Amino acid sequence: MDSNSVGSSLDSLICSFNTRITELQELVIARNMYPASSMADLTAVDAAVSAMELQVQAIKDRLREETEAIPKTKKLINASLRQQKRLQNMSLHVPSQMVDRMTMSTSETSRRLFPESSGQDLGLESLKLGEEPAALPKEKKGRGLPPMWYVTGSELDSLSSYMRGRLTLEKVNAAINDMASYAEANAQLVAAPKKKLAENLWEKALEIRDIATMEGIKGKFFFLEADIKGPTLKLDNTGKSILTVLRHLGRITETRIGHHRVIILQKPH
């Protein structure tokens, strides 16, 4: 409804009120023939008229506020449209692997690591596995997501044909997504309290926590060779070629701790 139609409706309402007031005045004149009983009626009429005047004034004030808010609303709409356009432009330049990674639900990862019990204690406290290890230094908390340093087409082309083989850029970067998932799962094992861990994960959590305190690994995202289970990166010839390429390009480093081969994710320089 525009301001002209609102004004027209208000004029019609005021005209109706004026007509009613005129009728009431005529009735008052007729009742003056009986002055003894007309005083109470006049008081009631005056009160009714005053109430109607207050209602009309309230309507006017509300209309004025709405009219003043229209320019602000238009500015807000325009700003929202500009922001939407910026976000659309940004989404066009985000790598598809990053989009897939961002859409992965954190809750699903948590459910895989910490399945909820059916209302009963799983009996973890009764597992005589020794005392819970001390919490790791605070620097490990709030580290965010594992680094996903994707390979560019020029980097892959710069490799020798012998090293590159039949690897494609899409397959190599999909493997980086897999590695980030492995490292994130291990980071959650490190940070989770014992009472929130499933029974079958506690032994691995102890092992991961010991590795996380080692020099050169502390404070970094890592995973074990045993964690490699796809969907893209596997322990086959293709997977080994991908690891070789990523190690050559500085995306990962490797070390051996006990019988474990530990792979550490590197951040962009």
PDB file of all heavy atoms in Angstrom, residues 101-128:
ATOM      1  N   ARG A 101      34.537 -30.153   1.163  1.00  0.00           N
ATOM      2  CA  ARG A 101      35.060 -30.277   2.527  1.00  0.00           C
ATOM      3  C   ARG A 101      34.221 -29.468   3.511  1.00  0.00           C
ATOM      4  O   ARG A 101      33.928 -29.916   4.615  1.00  0.00           O
ATOM      5  CB  ARG A 101      36.509 -29.779   2.530  1.00  0.00           C
ATOM      6  CG  ARG A 101      37.172 -29.787   3.892  1.00  0.00           C
ATOM      7  CD  ARG A 101      37.300 -31.187   4.414  1.00  0.00           C
ATOM      8  NE  ARG A 101      37.855 -31.192   5.745  1.00  0.00           N
ATOM      9  CZ  ARG A 101      37.772 -32.193   6.576  1.00  0.00           C
ATOM     10  NH1 ARG A 101      37.139 -33.294   6.211  1.00  0.00           N
ATOM     11  NH2 ARG A 101      38.318 -32.129   7.775  1.00  0.00           N
ATOM     12  N   MET A 102      33.813 -28.275   3.109  1.00  0.00           N
ATOM     13  CA  MET A 102      33.049 -27.408   4.003  1.00  0.00           C
ATOM     14  C   MET A 102      31.648 -27.941   4.242  1.00  0.00           C
ATOM     15  O   MET A 102      31.045 -27.682   5.276  1.00  0.00           O
ATOM     16  CB  MET A 102      32.984 -25.993   3.423  1.00  0.00           C
ATOM     17  CG  MET A 102      34.315 -25.281   3.406  1.00  0.00           C
ATOM     18  SD  MET A 102      34.249 -23.690   2.570  1.00  0.00           S
ATOM     19  CE  MET A 102      33.184 -22.792   3.681  1.00  0.00           C
ATOM     20  N   THR A 103      31.108 -28.705   3.290  1.00  0.00           N
ATOM     21  CA  THR A 103      29.762 -29.229   3.462  1.00  0.00           C
ATOM     22  C   THR A 103      29.728 -30.505   4.286  1.00  0.00           C
ATOM     23  O   THR A 103      28.660 -31.013   4.603  1.00  0.00           O
ATOM     24  CB  THR A 103      29.126 -29.518   2.091  1.00  0.00           C
ATOM     25  OG1 THR A 103      29.979 -30.373   1.341  1.00  0.00           O
ATOM     26  CG2 THR A 103      28.927 -28.225   1.316  1.00  0.00           C
ATOM     27  N   MET A 104      30.882 -31.046   4.592  1.00  0.00           N
ATOM     28  CA  MET A 104      30.912 -32.239   5.444  1.00  0.00           C
ATOM     29  C   MET A 104      30.449 -31.867   6.844  1.00  0.00           C
ATOM     30  O   MET A 104      30.950 -30.923   7.442  1.00  0.00           O
ATOM     31  CB  MET A 104      32.317 -32.827   5.505  1.00  0.00           C
ATOM     32  CG  MET A 104      32.399 -34.063   6.411  1.00  0.00           C
ATOM     33  SD  MET A 104      34.071 -34.713   6.491  1.00  0.00           S
ATOM     34  CE  MET A 104      34.280 -35.296   4.839  1.00  0.00           C
ATOM     35  N   SER A 105      29.515 -32.560   7.352  1.00  0.00           N
ATOM     36  CA  SER A 105      28.938 -32.226   8.657  1.00  0.00           C
ATOM     37  C   SER A 105      29.878 -32.640   9.774  1.00  0.00           C
ATOM     38  O   SER A 105      30.324 -33.783   9.848  1.00  0.00           O
ATOM     39  CB  SER A 105      27.592 -32.936   8.819  1.00  0.00           C
ATOM     40  OG  SER A 105      27.104 -32.788  10.119  1.00  0.00           O
ATOM     41  N   THR A 106      30.176 -31.702  10.649  1.00  0.00           N
ATOM     42  CA  THR A 106      31.017 -32.008  11.803  1.00  0.00           C
ATOM     43  C   THR A 106      30.316 -32.980  12.740  1.00  0.00           C
ATOM     44  O   THR A 106      30.939 -33.809  13.381  1.00  0.00           O
ATOM     45  CB  THR A 106      31.349 -30.717  12.555  1.00  0.00           C
ATOM     46  OG1 THR A 106      31.972 -29.808  11.646  1.00  0.00           O
ATOM     47  CG2 THR A 106      32.283 -30.987  13.730  1.00  0.00           C
ATOM     48  N   SER A 107      28.981 -32.873  12.779  1.00  0.00           N
ATOM     49  CA  SER A 107      28.240 -33.764  13.659  1.00  0.00           C
ATOM     50  C   SER A 107      28.369 -35.211  13.221  1.00  0.00           C
ATOM     51  O   SER A 107      28.392 -36.126  14.051  1.00  0.00           O
ATOM     52  CB  SER A 107      26.769 -33.365  13.702  1.00  0.00           C
ATOM     53  OG  SER A 107      26.204 -33.440  12.411  1.00  0.00           O
ATOM     54  N   GLU A 108      28.471 -35.448  11.892  1.00  0.00           N
ATOM     55  CA  GLU A 108      28.629 -36.820  11.427  1.00  0.00           C
ATOM     56  C   GLU A 108      29.966 -37.392  11.863  1.00  0.00           C
ATOM     57  O   GLU A 108      30.071 -38.545  12.267  1.00  0.00           O
ATOM     58  CB  GLU A 108      28.510 -36.863   9.901  1.00  0.00           C
ATOM     59  CG  GLU A 108      27.104 -36.524   9.399  1.00  0.00           C
ATOM     60  CD  GLU A 108      27.005 -36.550   7.889  1.00  0.00           C
ATOM     61  OE1 GLU A 108      28.046 -36.828   7.254  1.00  0.00           O
ATOM     62  OE2 GLU A 108      25.919 -36.303   7.371  1.00  0.00           O
ATOM     63  N   THR A 109      30.995 -36.558  11.794  1.00  0.00           N
ATOM     64  CA  THR A 109      32.315 -37.012  12.253  1.00  0.00           C
ATOM     65  C   THR A 109      32.282 -37.322  13.738  1.00  0.00           C
ATOM     66  O   THR A 109      32.845 -38.321  14.199  1.00  0.00           O
ATOM     67  CB  THR A 109      33.361 -35.923  11.976  1.00  0.00           C
ATOM     68  OG1 THR A 109      33.365 -35.629  10.580  1.00  0.00           O
ATOM     69  CG2 THR A 109      34.748 -36.401  12.386  1.00  0.00           C
ATOM     70  N   SER A 110      31.595 -36.468  14.501  1.00  0.00           N
ATOM     71  CA  SER A 110      31.497 -36.688  15.945  1.00  0.00           C
ATOM     72  C   SER A 110      30.733 -37.968  16.246  1.00  0.00           C
ATOM     73  O   SER A 110      31.076 -38.707  17.165  1.00  0.00           O
ATOM     74  CB  SER A 110      30.819 -35.489  16.610  1.00  0.00           C
ATOM     75  OG  SER A 110      31.568 -34.329  16.410  1.00  0.00           O
ATOM     76  N   ARG A 111      29.679 -38.213  15.466  1.00  0.00           N
ATOM     77  CA  ARG A 111      28.904 -39.434  15.716  1.00  0.00           C
ATOM     78  C   ARG A 111      29.721 -40.677  15.419  1.00  0.00           C
ATOM     79  O   ARG A 111      29.567 -41.704  16.071  1.00  0.00           O
ATOM     80  CB  ARG A 111      27.631 -39.427  14.859  1.00  0.00           C
ATOM     81  CG  ARG A 111      26.526 -38.520  15.399  1.00  0.00           C
ATOM     82  CD  ARG A 111      25.186 -38.901  14.765  1.00  0.00           C
ATOM     83  NE  ARG A 111      25.197 -38.688  13.329  1.00  0.00           N
ATOM     84  CZ  ARG A 111      24.872 -37.545  12.747  1.00  0.00           C
ATOM     85  NH1 ARG A 111      24.531 -36.504  13.475  1.00  0.00           N
ATOM     86  NH2 ARG A 111      24.894 -37.430  11.431  1.00  0.00           N
ATOM     87  N   ARG A 112      30.604 -40.585  14.410  1.00  0.00           N
ATOM     88  CA  ARG A 112      31.447 -41.749  14.113  1.00  0.00           C
ATOM     89  C   ARG A 112      32.423 -42.027  15.254  1.00  0.00           C
ATOM     90  O   ARG A 112      32.710 -43.169  15.576  1.00  0.00           O
ATOM     91  CB  ARG A 112      32.224 -41.526  12.823  1.00  0.00           C
ATOM     92  CG  ARG A 112      31.363 -41.526  11.573  1.00  0.00           C
ATOM     93  CD  ARG A 112      32.219 -41.783  10.348  1.00  0.00           C
ATOM     94  NE  ARG A 112      33.268 -40.798  10.208  1.00  0.00           N
ATOM     95  CZ  ARG A 112      33.130 -39.680   9.518  1.00  0.00           C
ATOM     96  NH1 ARG A 112      31.982 -39.396   8.925  1.00  0.00           N
ATOM     97  NH2 ARG A 112      34.131 -38.827   9.413  1.00  0.00           N
ATOM     98  N   LEU A 113      32.905 -40.947  15.869  1.00  0.00           N
ATOM     99  CA  LEU A 113      33.896 -41.124  16.927  1.00  0.00           C
ATOM    100  C   LEU A 113      33.254 -41.388  18.278  1.00  0.00           C
ATOM    101  O   LEU A 113      33.766 -42.153  19.084  1.00  0.00           O
ATOM    102  CB  LEU A 113      34.783 -39.872  17.014  1.00  0.00           C
ATOM    103  CG  LEU A 113      35.700 -39.639  15.815  1.00  0.00           C
ATOM    104  CD1 LEU A 113      36.432 -38.325  15.972  1.00  0.00           C
ATOM    105  CD2 LEU A 113      36.700 -40.782  15.677  1.00  0.00           C
ATOM    106  N   PHE A 114      32.126 -40.707  18.568  1.00  0.00           N
ATOM    107  CA  PHE A 114      31.518 -40.781  19.891  1.00  0.00           C
ATOM    108  C   PHE A 114      30.052 -41.188  19.774  1.00  0.00           C
ATOM    109  O   PHE A 114      29.161 -40.354  19.952  1.00  0.00           O
ATOM    110  CB  PHE A 114      31.619 -39.441  20.628  1.00  0.00           C
ATOM    111  CG  PHE A 114      32.946 -38.769  20.425  1.00  0.00           C
ATOM    112  CD1 PHE A 114      33.013 -37.465  19.936  1.00  0.00           C
ATOM    113  CD2 PHE A 114      34.131 -39.424  20.699  1.00  0.00           C
ATOM    114  CE1 PHE A 114      34.225 -36.844  19.758  1.00  0.00           C
ATOM    115  CE2 PHE A 114      35.346 -38.800  20.509  1.00  0.00           C
ATOM    116  CZ  PHE A 114      35.393 -37.519  20.040  1.00  0.00           C
ATOM    117  N   PRO A 115      29.726 -42.411  19.400  1.00  0.00           N
ATOM    118  CA  PRO A 115      28.329 -42.822  19.282  1.00  0.00           C
ATOM    119  C   PRO A 115      27.605 -42.698  20.604  1.00  0.00           C
ATOM    120  O   PRO A 115      28.152 -42.994  21.664  1.00  0.00           O
ATOM    121  CB  PRO A 115      28.430 -44.291  18.819  1.00  0.00           C
ATOM    122  CG  PRO A 115      29.795 -44.726  19.236  1.00  0.00           C
ATOM    123  CD  PRO A 115      30.660 -43.516  19.142  1.00  0.00           C
ATOM    124  N   GLU A 116      26.346 -42.256  20.542  1.00  0.00           N
ATOM    125  CA  GLU A 116      25.576 -42.051  21.766  1.00  0.00           C
ATOM    126  C   GLU A 116      25.147 -43.396  22.337  1.00  0.00           C
ATOM    127  O   GLU A 116      24.831 -44.350  21.628  1.00  0.00           O
ATOM    128  CB  GLU A 116      24.332 -41.209  21.465  1.00  0.00           C
ATOM    129  CG  GLU A 116      24.660 -39.810  20.992  1.00  0.00           C
ATOM    130  CD  GLU A 116      23.414 -39.033  20.666  1.00  0.00           C
ATOM    131  OE1 GLU A 116      22.333 -39.643  20.732  1.00  0.00           O
ATOM    132  OE2 GLU A 116      23.540 -37.853  20.338  1.00  0.00           O
ATOM    133  N   SER A 117      25.082 -43.480  23.650  1.00  0.00           N
ATOM    134  CA  SER A 117      24.622 -44.699  24.299  1.00  0.00           C
ATOM    135  C   SER A 117      23.105 -44.711  24.327  1.00  0.00           C
ATOM    136  O   SER A 117      22.447 -43.706  24.139  1.00  0.00           O
ATOM    137  CB  SER A 117      25.159 -44.757  25.730  1.00  0.00           C
ATOM    138  OG  SER A 117      24.673 -43.662  26.482  1.00  0.00           O
ATOM    139  N   SER A 118      22.474 -45.881  24.566  1.00  0.00           N
ATOM    140  CA  SER A 118      21.015 -46.021  24.568  1.00  0.00           C
ATOM    141  C   SER A 118      20.458 -45.766  25.948  1.00  0.00           C
ATOM    142  O   SER A 118      19.613 -46.498  26.448  1.00  0.00           O
ATOM    143  CB  SER A 118      20.629 -47.414  24.096  1.00  0.00           C
ATOM    144  OG  SER A 118      21.218 -48.389  24.950  1.00  0.00           O
ATOM    145  N   GLY A 119      20.939 -44.708  26.593  1.00  0.00           N
ATOM    146  CA  GLY A 119      20.422 -44.332  27.903  1.00  0.00           C
ATOM    147  C   GLY A 119      21.119 -45.038  29.039  1.00  0.00           C
ATOM    148  O   GLY A 119      20.755 -44.859  30.197  1.00  0.00           O
ATOM    149  N   GLN A 120      22.095 -45.889  28.743  1.00  0.00           N
ATOM    150  CA  GLN A 120      22.799 -46.612  29.790  1.00  0.00           C
ATOM    151  C   GLN A 120      24.283 -46.346  29.680  1.00  0.00           C
ATOM    152  O   GLN A 120      24.806 -46.085  28.610  1.00  0.00           O
ATOM    153  CB  GLN A 120      22.550 -48.124  29.663  1.00  0.00           C
ATOM    154  CG  GLN A 120      21.079 -48.501  29.854  1.00  0.00           C
ATOM    155  CD  GLN A 120      20.894 -50.005  29.712  1.00  0.00           C
ATOM    156  OE1 GLN A 120      21.812 -50.703  29.300  1.00  0.00           O
ATOM    157  NE2 GLN A 120      19.715 -50.481  30.072  1.00  0.00           N
ATOM    158  N   ASP A 121      24.964 -46.457  30.820  1.00  0.00           N
ATOM    159  CA  ASP A 121      26.414 -46.281  30.835  1.00  0.00           C
ATOM    160  C   ASP A 121      27.052 -47.449  30.117  1.00  0.00           C
ATOM    161  O   ASP A 121      26.691 -48.608  30.331  1.00  0.00           O
ATOM    162  CB  ASP A 121      26.880 -46.210  32.291  1.00  0.00           C
ATOM    163  CG  ASP A 121      28.351 -45.830  32.379  1.00  0.00           C
ATOM    164  OD1 ASP A 121      28.958 -45.651  31.300  1.00  0.00           O
ATOM    165  OD2 ASP A 121      28.863 -45.726  33.502  1.00  0.00           O
ATOM    166  N   LEU A 122      27.972 -47.191  29.215  1.00  0.00           N
ATOM    167  CA  LEU A 122      28.625 -48.246  28.453  1.00  0.00           C
ATOM    168  C   LEU A 122      29.670 -48.981  29.279  1.00  0.00           C
ATOM    169  O   LEU A 122      30.327 -49.875  28.790  1.00  0.00           O
ATOM    170  CB  LEU A 122      29.284 -47.653  27.203  1.00  0.00           C
ATOM    171  CG  LEU A 122      28.312 -47.095  26.157  1.00  0.00           C
ATOM    172  CD1 LEU A 122      29.101 -46.488  25.010  1.00  0.00           C
ATOM    173  CD2 LEU A 122      27.388 -48.176  25.647  1.00  0.00           C
ATOM    174  N   GLY A 123      29.851 -48.551  30.501  1.00  0.00           N
ATOM    175  CA  GLY A 123      30.779 -49.245  31.365  1.00  0.00           C
ATOM    176  C   GLY A 123      32.220 -48.907  31.115  1.00  0.00           C
ATOM    177  O   GLY A 123      33.108 -49.699  31.413  1.00  0.00           O
ATOM    178  N   LEU A 124      32.471 -47.726  30.575  1.00  0.00           N
ATOM    179  CA  LEU A 124      33.850 -47.345  30.282  1.00  0.00           C
ATOM    180  C   LEU A 124      34.651 -47.152  31.564  1.00  0.00           C
ATOM    181  O   LEU A 124      35.861 -47.329  31.580  1.00  0.00           O
ATOM    182  CB  LEU A 124      33.868 -46.060  29.449  1.00  0.00           C
ATOM    183  CG  LEU A 124      33.270 -46.193  28.040  1.00  0.00           C
ATOM    184  CD1 LEU A 124      33.345 -44.832  27.346  1.00  0.00           C
ATOM    185  CD2 LEU A 124      34.009 -47.230  27.243  1.00  0.00           C
ATOM    186  N   GLU A 125      33.934 -46.726  32.622  1.00  0.00           N
ATOM    187  CA  GLU A 125      34.658 -46.493  33.864  1.00  0.00           C
ATOM    188  C   GLU A 125      35.201 -47.791  34.440  1.00  0.00           C
ATOM    189  O   GLU A 125      36.145 -47.792  35.227  1.00  0.00           O
ATOM    190  CB  GLU A 125      33.730 -45.810  34.884  1.00  0.00           C
ATOM    191  CG  GLU A 125      33.229 -44.444  34.442  1.00  0.00           C
ATOM    192  CD  GLU A 125      34.376 -43.467  34.270  1.00  0.00           C
ATOM    193  OE1 GLU A 125      35.392 -43.637  34.977  1.00  0.00           O
ATOM    194  OE2 GLU A 125      34.271 -42.568  33.440  1.00  0.00           O
ATOM    195  N   SER A 126      34.555 -48.917  34.063  1.00  0.00           N
ATOM    196  CA  SER A 126      34.991 -50.194  34.622  1.00  0.00           C
ATOM    197  C   SER A 126      36.145 -50.813  33.843  1.00  0.00           C
ATOM    198  O   SER A 126      36.659 -51.851  34.221  1.00  0.00           O
ATOM    199  CB  SER A 126      33.807 -51.174  34.636  1.00  0.00           C
ATOM    200  OG  SER A 126      33.372 -51.415  33.316  1.00  0.00           O
ATOM    201  N   LEU A 127      36.506 -50.182  32.722  1.00  0.00           N
ATOM    202  CA  LEU A 127      37.628 -50.708  31.944  1.00  0.00           C
ATOM    203  C   LEU A 127      38.927 -50.372  32.653  1.00  0.00           C
ATOM    204  O   LEU A 127      39.301 -49.219  32.747  1.00  0.00           O
ATOM    205  CB  LEU A 127      37.619 -50.117  30.531  1.00  0.00           C
ATOM    206  CG  LEU A 127      36.382 -50.457  29.682  1.00  0.00           C
ATOM    207  CD1 LEU A 127      36.464 -49.706  28.367  1.00  0.00           C
ATOM    208  CD2 LEU A 127      36.292 -51.952  29.445  1.00  0.00           C
ATOM    209  N   LYS A 128      39.614 -51.343  33.136  1.00  0.00           N
ATOM    210  CA  LYS A 128      40.833 -51.110  33.904  1.00  0.00           C
ATOM    211  C   LYS A 128      41.994 -50.888  32.961  1.00  0.00           C
ATOM    212  O   LYS A 128      42.902 -51.707  32.840  1.00  0.00           O
ATOM    213  CB  LYS A 128      41.099 -52.304  34.829  1.00  0.00           C
ATOM    214  CG  LYS A 128      39.948 -52.609  35.773  1.00  0.00           C
ATOM    215  CD  LYS A 128      39.614 -51.423  36.676  1.00  0.00           C
ATOM    216  CE  LYS A 128      38.514 -51.746  37.649  1.00  0.00           C
ATOM    217  NZ  LYS A 128      38.201 -50.617  38.541  1.00  0.00           N
TER     218      LYS A 128
END
